[in-house]
Amino acid sequence: MRNRNTRRAPLLAAGLAAASLSALTLATACAAPKSSDASTAKDHLRQYTQQKLQWKRCDAKGPDTFQCATLKVPLDYSDPGGRTIGLAISRLKAGSTKERRGVLLLNPGGPGAPGLNLPADPLIKFPAEVKRRYDLVGFDLRGAGQSTPVSCGLTTEEQSDQPYKAETFAKDVDRVHTVAEKCRANAGGKLPHLTTRNSARDMDVIRGVLGEKRISYLGISYGTYLGAVYMQLFPQRADRIVLDSATDPTRIYRGMFQDMAKAAEQAFTRWTEWTARRHTTYGLGDTPAKVRETFWNLIARANRKPIAFEGETLTGDGIRADNRTFFHVQKAAERIAALKQAAEGKNPAPSDTPGQAEEPDDNYASIAWSFMCADTRTWSHDPERYRREAIRDKARYPLYGDFAATITPCAFWKQGSEPQTKIDNKVSALIAQNEWDSQTPLFAGQAMHRALRGSRMLTVAGGEGHGVLYAPDGNSCADKAVTVYLTTGRLPAKDLTCRAKAGQK
């Protein structure tokens, strides 16, 4: 769900009735209008929720039933008569008019991953019972994708992760300071308002425009935090809420990165044990200690002489930067064995004639940093604190700790328009979590469960990877529990454990 070069920028899914004005009041409950004239403020808000959308086919080659539209939302909900931005949404209508319950809004995570195509994504295997009952609605987060996109004008290097190193730290401080300055120069007027709280308000405008009194939701990764914020701001508007691979809402966001480093180390230890038992297959060592030694020797070798592998030239730090490597023990063993062979000159990669590299689209990175820096005011502005914590975490978590704890653009970011949202409510929700997800670890999902006191927790014991639900190789037990909840409203009577089968997530 995340750009390969922005792994720490995650890290992770309606006409108005008489209740519309009360919905609008809720939408601005934490952002009082600047105008003292309440009736004027209501008039401004009414124009958003009573918009008439112009639906059209999302893709000329796609089905007629998958349609897209753009609606307007306030950039600043405390000034609803001010500047507006566009929000791109999509809809795949429910298959049955008789059985239709409402809207299931979808978010893939990020923050900033494109969500417009989610309703028709062939890799998401929504069961027929769900598709009969819900309009599946996707949207691009404010500033992302087709929703008045933001670009900071970042280069490839400025979008990439770098580990802490004493000899390069001053350069890294300059680099992230440049990122913050570029974002301020190119999108400065929008930055304070690119927040999860405002995206939750956008969701409520979507609900109002589509004529729904309540909205159901499926969010993945960062999308779980967005869903939790919506539940906090609009508890009476939340219907059936599913959070897949949840973040810890008390650790947004620096703590979340550091939790990734802890979880990556746990996954790495598990992998060394699994791989040692299969030494005859992979040849990486017949004890966990030997597997670990083989890996770190490979990292040192690649730092001395980068490895040409699968179209990339990888340094040791480049190998470590991908904190998804040990999501799946078998895939990790295959990858590390192949990297070792490539480093030894076996099975050399075909040589390609290098062309002129193009700078990648920086929208995802721009939005990810914008949200993460503006959502919370807990980022330190002292570079020395980042240095100290990076040194500490490198010692604690050698695999990824220096990446997770080093300085980020948020050290030089101006604060967002509002404080961080505290998650603490009794709204019903179902949280699904893999045991061995190192991006949103099990302990992070358990923290979300504690904060959402009306939730139930569904854990896939032995489950690997990031994302649990409705995958082609997913867990049928977990999928069934979520489908029952979405179609009947019945949560499991108590927290539930499903077991992963061989080859499953």
Side-chain angles (χ1 to χ4, degrees):
M1 290 188 296
R2 296 181 301 154
N3 183 299
R4 189 176 181 85
N5 292 320
T6 54
R7 297 178 186 89
R8 283 195 301 145
L11 345 342
L12 108 238
L16 278 180
S20 63
L21 289 180
S22 62
L24 294 171
T25 301
L26 280 171
T28 55
C30 298
K34 291 178 179 177
S35 170
S36 59
D37 187 338
S39 62
T40 301
K42 289 182 179 180
D43 288 342
H44 284 312
L45 289 166
R46 190 180 297 117
Q47 70 176 328
Y48 298 111
T49 55
Q50 293 188 344
Q51 295 175 75
K52 302 298 182 184
L53 299 184
Q54 301 297 315
W55 293 101
K56 60 182 180 181
R57 186 186 298 184
C58 294
D59 184 343
K61 298 180 181 179
D64 292 340
T65 51
F66 183 43
Q67 296 185 317
C68 288
T70 300
L71 57 89
K72 294 293 184 182
V73 295
L75 173 64
D76 179 357
Y77 275 89
S78 71
D79 183 18
R83 187 177 177 185
T84 65
I85 55 175
L87 204 69
I89 67 170
S90 62
R91 178 177 66 183
L92 192 62
K93 285 191 174 182
S96 169
T97 302
K98 182 178 180 181
E99 295 180 76
R100 182 185 181 279
R101 174 170 181 83
V103 164
L104 180 63
L105 195 61
L106 309 170
N107 182 273
L116 204 60
N117 291 325
L118 284 185
D121 190 331
L123 295 180
I124 305 178
K125 303 299 182 182
F126 289 107
E129 308 97 292
V130 172
K131 292 194 287 187
R132 283 199 306 270
R133 288 171 171 81
Y134 289 97
D135 294 350
L136 302 179
V137 175
F139 69 106
D140 285 343
L141 211 63
R142 55 170 47 210
Q146 298 183 39
S147 294
T148 312
V150 165
S151 169
C152 295
L154 304 179
T155 66
T156 300
E157 183 182 5
E158 288 163 350
Q159 295 184 60
S160 67
D161 289 346
Q162 301 295 331
Y164 168 78
K165 293 182 178 178
E167 62 272 23
T168 63
F169 186 66
K171 179 182 175 182
D172 292 333
V173 171
D174 289 342
R175 176 175 53 82
V176 298
H177 186 258
T178 297
V179 170
E181 287 299 318
K182 280 189 171 184
C183 288
R184 190 172 297 124
N186 292 314
K190 295 178 182 176
L191 293 184
H193 311 294
L194 297 178
T195 66
T196 299
R197 286 174 73 91
N198 280 333
S199 291
R201 294 175 178 123
D202 292 343
M203 287 169 53
D204 206 56
V205 171
I206 293 173
R207 177 202 58 74
V209 169
L210 297 181
E212 302 293 330
K213 293 183 178 179
R214 303 176 74 193
I215 199 165
S216 295
Y217 176 82
L218 193 161
I220 306 165
S221 192
Y222 159 80
T224 65
Y225 181 61
L226 174 59
V229 171
Y230 183 83
M231 295 161 68
Q232 193 69 34
L233 297 185
F234 305 99
Q236 302 306 316
R237 303 296 180 190
D239 192 8
R240 297 171 185 177
I241 307 295
V242 178
L243 307 180
D244 182 348
S245 306
T247 60
D248 181 344
T250 69
R251 301 276 287 166
I252 301 295
Y253 289 93
R254 180 160 174 78
M256 182 181 69
F257 293 152
Q258 292 170 309
D259 287 347
M260 285 182 187
K262 176 181 177 180
E265 205 68 35
Q266 293 171 340
F268 177 66
T269 297
R270 173 177 179 253
W271 172 76
T272 63
E273 295 166 352
W274 185 93
T275 303
R277 296 194 295 270
R278 294 159 178 82
H279 175 60
T280 55
T281 301
Y282 301 108
L284 296 175
D286 57 6
T287 68
K290 289 179 181 179
V291 173
R292 186 179 293 268
E293 182 180 14
T294 297
F295 174 80
W296 284 109
N297 285 341
L298 177 66
I299 295 300
R301 182 173 188 166
N303 277 332
R304 293 192 301 270
K305 182 180 179 182
I307 304 169
F309 184 73
E310 295 182 348
E312 295 183 274
T313 302
L314 294 173
T315 65
D317 290 337
I319 295 169
R320 289 194 303 117
D322 191 347
N323 64 9
R324 301 164 296 183
T325 296
F326 299 100
F327 268 3
H328 304 274
V329 286
Q330 181 175 337
K331 291 179 181 178
E334 292 169 352
R335 177 174 174 81
I336 300 304
L339 278 165
K340 182 172 180 289
Q341 287 190 331
E344 294 168 350
K346 302 172 184 176
N347 301 326
S351 59
D352 296 323
T353 303
Q356 182 66 37
E358 295 183 3
E359 291 294 349
D361 183 351
D362 76 330
N363 175 246
Y364 179 82
S366 300
I367 286 300
W369 286 123
S370 295
F371 272 70
M372 291 190 294
C373 297
D375 266 355
T376 175
R377 297 174 179 176
T378 59
W379 291 100
S380 172
H381 299 292
D382 177 11
E384 286 305 309
R385 178 174 174 182
Y386 292 92
R387 183 201 296 272
R388 291 193 302 271
E389 292 187 4
I391 293 170
R392 180 200 66 192
D393 283 8
K394 172 64 174 175
R396 286 178 174 176
Y397 313 122
L399 186 66
Y400 193 67
D402 50 341
F403 281 96
T406 196
I407 196 164
T408 78
C410 300
F412 301 101
W413 214 270
K414 291 186 177 180
Q415 68 182 25
S417 56
E418 300 175 86
Q420 181 176 334
T421 306
K422 181 180 179 180
I423 305 302
D424 179 18
N425 63 67
K426 295 182 180 180
V427 179
S428 296
L430 184 56
I431 302 169
Q433 209 85 5
N434 277 325
E435 181 181 8
W436 290 105
D437 179 353
S438 57
Q439 206 143 47
T440 52
L442 179 58
F443 57 80
Q446 291 167 340
M448 179 69 85
H449 181 31
R450 290 191 295 271
L452 298 177
R453 290 172 284 121
S455 65
R456 288 285 185 271
M457 184 87 182
L458 187 163
T459 304
V460 181
E464 296 182 309
H466 188 50
V468 177
L469 303 172
Y470 299 145
D473 58 349
N475 185 279
S476 58
C477 167
D479 288 348
K480 180 180 178 180
V482 170
T483 299
V484 167
Y485 172 53
L486 287 174
T487 55
T488 69
R490 293 196 305 269
L491 284 170
K494 57 183 181 180
D495 291 347
L496 177 66
T497 298
C498 293
R499 297 200 174 275
K501 296 179 181 178
Q504 277 189 337
K505 282 187 176 182

